[in-house]
Amino acid sequence: MDNASAITVFTLSGLNGTEKYRIPLFVVTFLCYSLIWVANVTIIVTIIMDKNLHEPMYILLCNLCINGLFGTAGFYPKFLSDLLSSTHVISFSGCLLQGFVVHAYIGADLSILLVMSLDRYVSICRPLVYHSVMTRQRVGLLVLFAWLLPATLVMVSSITTFILKLCDSHIPRLYCINFFVNKLACTASAASFIIPACTYTIYVCHFGFICLSYFYLIRTCRQSKNNMSKFMQTCLPHVICLIIVGIGFLFDLMYIRFGSVDLPQGLQNFMAIEFLVVPPILNPVIYGMKLTQVRNRIAQLFGVKQNKGSHKFVKKKKKTEQTPSRVPATAPAAELRFNLSPPSILSEPPNTPPRTAPSAAPPAINRTGEEITK
């Protein structure tokens, strides 16, 4: 118990054996973090500045990008400082804060994707009641739910971790999470099993509801080409992002629960940070490239001209310049009407017999049969 009260600093061992590659790793990590900020801030600023994008789908996309910045802020600054340092330690309070940010980022990502799937379901499967269901007040409550639910769950988990009595200070990872801190406890507590089980159950239900909503979406869109095109434009980025996030979380969860120390350290680190690297970069890129209104607005924001539109304008201008040259400008009105009339109306039909002069009328005859002469 005396050792437990003296533990105030944790040692991170994820960077052991990387002394020769720390400068290249620092450069790559810094560029990756800069790209995350540029991509996400571009989407956020574009949606905020354009009032036409103040719709539920784009508001949720904006929150998804904000959550990406929030989650990466809990990992990249500390990781960059560790790459330039010879000792990799973190305080007890810093460890709890980092674990809170990473866990809340994961939960908020799934909650926002859940609300986005609900929005797409109502928009495509119930279009007549969309504006009455997805009002501004209701969207605000759903966004508040997406942020408060994971924050509350992680707060409860962090409190149970805080009151534990620890007997070790070694964390075999690049960053802190509550699972590894709980493993350092002198005695296992029931709360360290019950609270994670409840959290996993809630987010498994999230994932199940998302899959169910997309099942109904695909079944509805198959009946109409218009709905299918709408699905491919607005829902396909959501599906891609959901697959990326799901695979990243699944890898990390499987490694935490069933991982082996025999795996190479580089592979272990990649599996640990995959969901902190890939989704924050790909989410804004996929949505920015696929959603037409966002893409056009970003092009206008950076002053990029639309080549497709200018090509259409040039073609239309050439057509209007060549049209008057088909008919001489000096042609009289009557001749102009004659030349423009269909030939089948004014010309004589084919195979008509030639016209002959009318024959003389027969002479008049009286009752006796004699001709009457004038």
Side-chain angles (χ1 to χ4, degrees):
M1 294 298 177
D2 295 336
N3 293 335
S5 60
I7 295 177
T8 58
V9 175
F10 294 102
T11 303
L12 304 175
S13 62
L15 287 176
N16 292 345
T18 60
E19 291 79 7
K20 298 180 180 179
Y21 312 102
R22 289 187 181 176
I23 299 301
L25 281 175
F26 177 85
V27 174
V28 173
T29 305
F30 181 78
L31 292 176
C32 181
Y33 191 42
S34 301
L35 179 61
I36 290 173
W37 266 92
V38 171
N40 286 275
V41 170
T42 301
I43 297 293
I44 294 169
V45 172
T46 300
I47 294 174
I48 292 176
M49 292 181 60
D50 193 351
K51 293 183 179 180
N52 296 325
L53 299 179
H54 293 178
E55 298 179 2
M57 181 177 65
Y58 302 108
I59 293 174
L60 295 171
L61 173 59
C62 182
N63 280 269
L64 189 67
C65 294
I66 293 173
N67 185 56
L69 296 178
F70 169 72
T72 54
F75 167 72
Y76 281 93
K78 179 65 172 66
F79 181 64
L80 289 172
S81 65
D82 286 344
L83 288 173
L84 299 178
S85 176
S86 58
T87 58
H88 310 134
V89 295
I90 188 171
S91 63
F92 182 73
S93 58
C95 182
L96 290 180
L97 178 61
Q98 188 177 51
F100 174 83
V101 173
V102 172
H103 285 90
Y105 157 72
I106 297 172
D109 224 25
L110 287 175
S111 297
I112 294 172
L113 290 175
L114 171 66
V115 179
M116 292 178 76
S117 67
L118 175 63
D119 172 73
R120 292 298 86 203
Y121 171 79
V122 178
S123 175
I124 296 177
C125 298
R126 300 289 186 270
L128 298 179
V129 299
Y130 176 75
H131 293 288
S132 61
V133 172
M134 301 300 292
T135 60
R136 288 188 177 182
Q137 294 78 8
R138 195 161 293 167
V139 172
L141 290 175
L142 290 174
V143 170
L144 187 63
F145 158 80
W147 285 100
L148 286 184
L149 177 65
T152 303
L153 293 174
V154 177
M155 182 63 71
V156 174
S157 178
S158 299
I159 291 174
T160 58
T161 303
F162 177 77
I163 62 178
L164 291 176
K165 294 180 179 180
L166 307 178
C167 292
D168 196 359
S169 62
H170 175 71
I171 297 178
R173 204 173 176 89
L174 293 172
Y175 54 89
C176 281
I177 58 173
N178 293 339
F179 174 78
F180 286 106
V181 177
N182 291 333
K183 291 181 66 174
L184 302 178
C186 300
T187 58
S189 63
S192 61
F193 294 99
I194 296 175
I195 294 176
C198 294
T199 303
Y200 292 150
T201 303
I202 290 173
Y203 286 109
V204 167
C205 293
H206 275 42
F207 192 79
F209 184 85
I210 294 173
C211 295
L212 184 64
S213 65
Y214 273 96
F215 171 77
Y216 283 106
L217 275 170
I218 295 173
R219 192 179 69 173
T220 302
C221 292
R222 289 180 61 187
Q223 302 173 2
S224 172
K225 292 184 179 180
N226 186 21
N227 287 339
M228 182 56 71
S229 62
K230 189 176 181 181
F231 175 86
M232 296 298 293
Q233 182 180 3
T234 61
C235 299
L236 186 61
H238 186 198
V239 174
I240 296 174
C241 293
L242 179 65
I243 293 174
I244 293 172
V245 171
I247 292 175
F249 294 164
L250 183 63
F251 266 105
D252 187 61
L253 182 62
M254 296 296 290
Y255 168 69
I256 290 175
R257 294 296 178 180
F258 310 106
S260 174
V261 294
D262 297 332
L263 294 175
Q265 186 65 44
L267 180 60
Q268 295 182 28
N269 293 337
F270 174 77
M271 295 174 66
I273 66 174
E274 189 268 342
F275 68 94
L276 289 167
V277 176
V278 180
I281 293 177
L282 290 186
N283 285 351
V285 172
I286 292 173
Y287 277 101
M289 294 297 294
K290 190 63 179 176
L291 297 180
T292 306
Q293 294 185 11
V294 176
R295 183 176 66 248
N296 294 340
R297 183 56 183 163
I298 292 175
Q300 294 176 5
L301 186 64
F302 288 97
V304 179
K305 296 182 179 180
Q306 297 291 322
N307 295 329
K308 187 176 180 181
S310 60
H311 179 66
K312 285 185 177 181
F313 176 76
V314 171
K315 289 181 67 178
K316 186 176 181 181
K317 186 176 180 181
K318 289 183 179 180
K319 186 176 180 180
T320 54
E321 291 177 353
Q322 294 179 358
T323 301
S325 62
R326 295 180 183 177
V327 181
T330 59
E335 184 179 356
L336 181 62
R337 288 195 300 268
F338 178 80
N339 291 336
L340 295 179
S341 301
S344 60
I345 297 176
L346 298 179
S347 60
E348 294 183 354
N351 301 329
T352 55
R355 296 181 179 179
T356 57
S359 58
I365 302 175
N366 59 9
R367 293 180 180 179
T368 58
E370 297 177 358
E371 292 185 5
I372 300 175
T373 58
K374 297 181 179 179

